[in-house]
């Protein structure tokens, strides 16, 4: 899952807000840092959302 998908999954937050969230110490570590940006395991991001933002846990993907 890239930053764009995370933005969508978090309800359409801005790029800046997505960067702030993904830079938090409690956010999952990226699976890879590619030339086009960081990517995360979907399962890790979904678990973080379920724990930290339960109101967004039931959003359709």
């Amino acid at each position: 899952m890239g930053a764009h998908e995370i933005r969508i999954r978090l309800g359409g937050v801005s790029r800046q807000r997505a960067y702030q969230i993904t830079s938090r110490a409690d956010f999952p570590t990226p699976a890879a840092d590619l030339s086009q940006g960081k990517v995360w395991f979907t399962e890790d991001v979904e678990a973080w959302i379920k724990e930290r933002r339960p109101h967004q846990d039931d959003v359709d993907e």
Side-chain angles (χ1 to χ4, degrees), residues 2-22:
H4 179 73
E5 290 81 12
I6 292 171
R7 289 177 58 208
I8 292 169
R9 189 62 182 83
L10 292 173
V13 298
S14 69
R15 283 188 216 172
Q16 181 178 13
R17 183 65 183 136
Y19 175 79
Q20 291 170 341
I21 291 169
T22 58

Side-chain angles (χ1 to χ4, degrees), residues 21-45:
I21 291 169
T22 58
S23 296
R24 291 172 49 143
D26 66 342
F27 198 80
T29 303
D33 191 356
L34 307 174
S35 61
Q36 291 187 341
K38 297 176 182 177
V39 292
W40 292 261
F41 289 116
T42 299
E43 298 82 16
D44 293 345
V45 175

